[in-house]
Amino acid sequence: MKINKFNKLFAKSAYLFANYAKVAYIIIIMKPEEFKKWRKSLGLSQKNAAEMLGLKIRIIQYYEKGKKGKKTINIPKYIQLACLALEIQNKINKI
């Protein structure tokens, strides 16, 4: 019984990884609206997202606006990849 459960979990994990690996490779720039959509899709508040990403709430707000004052803010690649990792982890936890 345990082997069947493991095989099922492994198959689903491999499927998720394969699909998200393609997405990770294609990511060029995560737009502010995509960042906000990501946060909301995981049911995270700005505070929760900041804690999970190791950022301050204000940085989350800058990323969602795409600006800090008049200056355009781009979401760094390592934050985009961290978002992707958290999304994958969330999906695996639901399996």
Side-chain angles (χ1 to χ4, degrees), residues 27-28 30 35 53-55 59 63 74-86:
I27 290 176
I28 296 172
M30 181 184 257
F35 183 80
L53 293 169
L55 302 170
I59 300 300
Y63 290 165
N74 291 321
I75 301 164
K77 293 282 184 212
Y78 72 94
I79 296 296
Q80 293 178 46
L81 291 172
C83 291
L84 184 62
L86 289 170

Side-chain angles (χ1 to χ4, degrees), residues 32 57-69 73:
I57 296 172
R58 193 70 186 131
I59 300 300
I60 299 295
Q61 293 168 345
Y62 293 151
Y63 290 165
E64 289 186 1
K65 285 173 86 175
K67 293 186 177 196
K68 180 180 178 182
I73 298 289

Side-chain angles (χ1 to χ4, degrees), residues 20-76:
Y20 283 100
K22 291 176 192 172
V23 173
Y25 182 74
I26 294 171
I27 290 176
I28 296 172
I29 293 180
M30 181 184 257
K31 296 176 183 167
E33 58 274 8
E34 293 169 333
F35 183 80
K36 188 172 187 175
K37 184 178 176 183
W38 164 82
R39 177 180 62 79
K40 290 187 172 196
S41 74
L42 295 181
L44 299 174
S45 65
Q46 288 180 335
K47 181 181 179 183
N48 296 135
E51 288 171 0
M52 293 182 88
L53 293 169
L55 302 170
K56 295 184 180 193
I57 296 172
R58 193 70 186 131
I59 300 300
I60 299 295
Q61 293 168 345
Y62 293 151
Y63 290 165
E64 289 186 1
K65 285 173 86 175
K67 293 186 177 196
K68 180 180 178 182
K70 293 181 181 181
K71 183 180 176 185
T72 299
I73 298 289
N74 291 321
I75 301 164

